Amino acid sequence: MKFFVNVIIKFILLILFALASGTSALPLKDAFKDNFQIGVALANRDIRNSRVTDIVNIEFNVVVAEFGMKMANVLPEQGIYNFTWTDEFFDFAKENGQVVVGHTLVWHKAIPDWFFLDAKGQKLKRDQLLLKLQRHINTYVGRYRGQVLGWDVVNEAFNYDGSFRNSPWLEIIGEDYIEKAFEFAHQADPNAELYYNDYGLVSPKKHASVVALVKRLKKKAIPIHAVGIQGHYSLTYPDLKALDKTIARFANLGVKVMITELDVSVLPFPGPEDRGEDAEINVARAQQLNPYPEQLSEEAMQQFTNRYRDLFRVFLKHSNSISRVTFWGLTDAHTWRNNWPIPGRADYPLLYDRALKPKPVVKALLELIEARDSYIHL
């Protein structure tokens, strides 16, 4: 009886919060429930911020750790794990009825240098690193066995030209390090979904390499359940027809597709001359590269809204293949895009503004799902 009372109280509080804060009348997770799950990435601070968690609990049914589950955070010292925050993250998700996607097991960043060295400081050999990786995955994935929807097993392993990204994993183990990581993850949690995740997958050569990877894993009967297409987009990138074809090609391989890390930058992308360590940007150029230091113009907000709407038209066209769309953050106040690739810039790529108020795009997405025949054709 007490459980049901608590559920009712929580439901009433969420409604009151929605009315007070201006969140959408119909939560995004409910609006899109017949199409795909709606997820959000959370930073370490977010699950301790009640204003953020109240919105998250209304709008989203999948949560991903933006940084907190990467190796450098859970394994800060050789052989010493720190699961304090990750345990808290899983408890938060369980308490609020969300599922967790683990991000990420193998990446070329956020890895302590000593992970690739032996006790004498010498570079590990192939078999040594494989054993170390297997033990790490057994420890990490095994701890949360049965508690995750799936894992981003390998993240960003290819360059735009389709070649393997240079990393200690590739240098020491070889190209099959990806296969081994998937094998180890499946052994550690046979019921977890396993994903490959990368950006720029509309690029033909990079796309072809990931297609070849999926085929190789499937031929060897190594489980891979989905490809994550990172959605770090802009008002002009990617071409919608190219995105449409990219999703279809992955779906034709017999794996699910996920749109991950979704955000839409409204800023002009700087050229190489603007980003060098010694680059000096004059006042006029700095203003061009940071056109909205305080807030978006009405015109830019409309362009932003239209862009998200067009992207979701593509996603909805492929809703039979797309299992999840995950936004890479909740609020513009704490997006990585504010300072990349030039420090100090203000960007506006997410659904909620710096005051945690929903932008017009939220209403636009809800209206889109109501007009069910509007996304059949691009």
Side-chain angles (χ1 to χ4, degrees), residues 265-332:
S265 174
V266 299
L267 300 182
F269 198 79
E273 69 278 5
D274 300 316
R275 294 176 295 173
E277 292 182 3
D278 299 323
E280 294 184 6
I281 303 176
N282 62 39
V283 174
R285 183 58 177 154
Q287 290 176 342
Q288 290 176 346
L289 295 172
N290 189 29
Y292 312 110
E294 300 297 332
Q295 63 182 22
L296 278 182
S297 66
E298 290 186 11
E299 179 183 5
M301 182 68 81
Q302 189 60 57
Q303 291 175 330
F304 172 82
T305 301
N306 292 344
R307 183 60 171 170
Y308 259 111
R309 185 162 42 209
D310 289 343
L311 287 167
F312 265 77
R313 284 194 176 102
V314 180
F315 303 157
L316 287 166
K317 176 183 175 182
H318 294 281
S319 61
N320 289 336
S321 304
I322 294 177
S323 61
R324 171 170 55 93
V325 174
T326 295
F327 296 90
W328 204 240
L330 179 67
T331 167
D332 293 337

Side-chain angles (χ1 to χ4, degrees), residues 38 54 89 111 119 137 147 151-152 173 199 255 261 272 296 301 321 328 340 354 374:
I38 299 292
D54 284 343
F89 186 58
I111 307 171
I137 289 177
Q147 300 181 57
W151 286 91
D152 289 332
I173 296 175
Y199 62 87
V255 294
E261 308 189 23
L296 278 182
M301 182 68 81
S321 304
W328 204 240
W340 186 90
R354 283 164 169 74
S374 67

Side-chain angles (χ1 to χ4, degrees), residues 211-223:
V211 167
L213 170 67
V214 174
K215 290 181 176 179
R216 188 162 61 249
L217 292 173
K218 292 176 75 69
K219 184 177 181 179
K220 295 182 178 182
I222 300 173

Side-chain angles (χ1 to χ4, degrees), residues 225-279:
H225 301 98
V227 171
I229 300 175
Q230 290 186 22
H232 295 304
Y233 296 151
S234 72
L235 297 179
T236 57
Y237 172 85
D239 176 80
L240 295 178
K241 290 184 178 179
L243 178 60
D244 174 51
K245 292 178 180 178
T246 297
I247 296 170
R249 287 169 183 161
F250 282 128
N252 288 337
L253 297 175
V255 294
K256 292 187 286 188
V257 178
M258 305 173 304
I259 306 301
T260 65
E261 308 189 23
L262 180 60
D263 48 32
V264 175
S265 174
V266 299
L267 300 182
F269 198 79
E273 69 278 5
D274 300 316
R275 294 176 295 173
E277 292 182 3
D278 299 323

Side-chain angles (χ1 to χ4, degrees), residues 17-35:
F17 174 80
L19 293 173
S21 65
T23 52
S24 55
L26 181 64
L28 291 170
K29 65 183 180 184
D30 293 337
F32 289 90
K33 63 183 177 63
D34 294 329
N35 299 281

Side-chain angles (χ1 to χ4, degrees), residues 121-183:
Q122 301 298 310
K123 185 184 300 182
L124 295 174
K125 299 185 182 303
R126 170 185 162 90
D127 289 345
Q128 292 174 312
L129 182 55
L130 281 172
L131 180 60
K132 194 169 188 177
L133 176 61
Q134 184 176 29
R135 287 174 174 170
H136 169 67
I137 289 177
N138 281 341
T139 299
Y140 193 11
V141 175
R143 183 180 183 87
Y144 301 109
R145 180 170 176 160
Q147 300 181 57
V148 299
L149 173 63
W151 286 91
D152 289 332
V153 180
V154 178
N155 195 51
E156 302 174 0
F158 295 98
N159 297 310
Y160 275 109
D161 64 2
S163 62
F164 281 91
R165 180 188 294 276
N166 187 33
S167 70
W169 304 112
L170 180 66
E171 179 185 351
I172 298 173
I173 296 175
E175 295 179 0
D176 65 337
Y177 81 89
I178 301 176
E179 299 172 17
K180 294 299 183 181
F182 274 83
E183 287 178 348

